[in-house]
């Protein structure tokens, strides 16, 4: 057991958990429809980041990849109709897993609202935030099963 404990202690630092710094959903004009911040920023810095990220993403052609370096982070984004769903993550984070997480969030929104659109995000923002909080907690992916997420949202809807 000594060798196991030594090995475990010696190599336990090698597991590094990366995190989401913030999530943005913006339309093509740059209007932010949803923002969730997992790092502390003041309001002026938030608006500045939203503007810079939109300028960076909106100017990219569709033939380029869906991730780009931004400051000391990485922006992973996906466009659905007229909305950009963006996650700003650590620069060493896996881009494909972030794209899958974005797609899962959009699929859950689509299943809940039935063909989700920008107006659903605007007029049902409390429900959108509760769905977001079922998928992402404290800058990490919490749940990856669409049926489980939808079941929890349905249970919340049926509370007295």
């Amino acid at each position: 057991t000594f060798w196991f404990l030594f090995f475990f202690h010696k190599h336990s630092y090698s597991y590094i958990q990366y995190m989401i710094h913030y999530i943005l959903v913006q339309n093509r004009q740059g209007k932010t429809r949803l923002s969730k911040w997992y790092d502390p920023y003041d309001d002026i810095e938030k608006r500045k980041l939203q503007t810079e990220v939109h300028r960076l993403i909106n100017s990219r052609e569709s033939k380029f990849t869906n991730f780009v370096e931004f400051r000391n982070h990485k922006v992973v984004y996906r466009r659905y109709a007229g909305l950009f769903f963006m996650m700003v993550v650590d620069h060493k984070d896996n881009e494909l897993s972030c794209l899958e997480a974005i797609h899962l969030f959009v699929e859950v929104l689509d299943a809940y609202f039935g063909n989700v659109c920008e107006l659903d995000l605007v007029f049902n923002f409390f429900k959108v935030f509760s769905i977001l909080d079922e998928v992402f907690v404290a800058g990490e992916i919490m749940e990856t099963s669409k049926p489980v997420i939808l079941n929890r949202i349905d249970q919340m809807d049926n509370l007295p």
Side-chain angles (χ1 to χ4, degrees):
T1 59
F2 172 75
W3 287 107
F4 173 74
L5 291 176
F6 175 75
F7 180 80
F8 181 75
H9 174 70
K10 188 83 166 159
H11 294 82
S12 63
Y13 66 88
S14 64
Y15 176 72
I16 299 172
Q17 182 69 35
Y18 300 113
M19 73 170 285
I20 302 165
H21 296 280
Y22 50 95
I23 297 173
L24 297 173
V25 179
Q26 295 178 328
N27 63 14
R28 282 182 272 174
Q29 290 76 31
K31 181 77 173 168
T32 301
R33 296 303 185 188
L34 174 75
S35 65
K36 183 74 173 187
W37 303 85
Y38 300 108
D39 282 344
Y41 294 103
D42 61 9
D43 290 339
I44 295 170
E45 183 68 15
K46 286 179 183 179
R47 282 193 296 276
K48 184 178 175 184
L49 287 170
Q50 289 172 1
T51 304
E52 287 180 22
V53 168
H54 178 262
R55 191 176 303 125
L56 177 69
I57 298 303
N58 200 32
S59 65
R60 288 176 59 90
E61 294 182 32
S62 61
K63 66 180 178 180
F64 294 133
T65 61
N66 286 355
F67 43 91
V68 61
E69 295 290 327
F70 175 71
R71 295 186 179 186
N72 57 345
H73 301 303
K74 188 184 315 180
V75 179
V76 181
Y77 67 95
R78 190 141 184 206
R79 182 176 170 196
Y80 291 93
L83 293 173
F84 290 100
F85 289 79
M86 299 171 269
M87 292 173 58
V88 178
V89 297
D90 288 325
H91 70 282
K92 291 186 178 180
D93 211 344
N94 187 338
E95 300 91 0
L96 297 179
S97 68
C98 294
L99 285 171
E100 282 296 317
I102 291 171
H103 187 68
L104 171 70
F105 179 59
V106 172
E107 279 187 336
V108 171
L109 289 174
D110 199 44
Y112 183 79
F113 290 110
N115 200 11
V116 68
C117 66
E118 185 174 350
L119 291 176
D120 291 324
L121 300 180
V122 172
F123 293 117
N124 301 301
F125 64 92
F126 285 119
K127 187 55 64 180
V128 174
F129 271 104
S130 65
I131 293 171
L132 183 72
D133 289 339
E134 287 296 325
V135 180
F136 306 103
V137 174
E140 296 180 10
I141 299 171
M142 182 66 176
E143 182 60 59
T144 59
S145 172
K146 186 167 79 168
V148 170
I149 296 166
L150 290 171
N151 186 27
R152 288 181 186 160
I153 298 298
D154 188 48
Q155 288 175 356
M156 284 192 297
D157 287 345
N158 293 329
L159 288 175

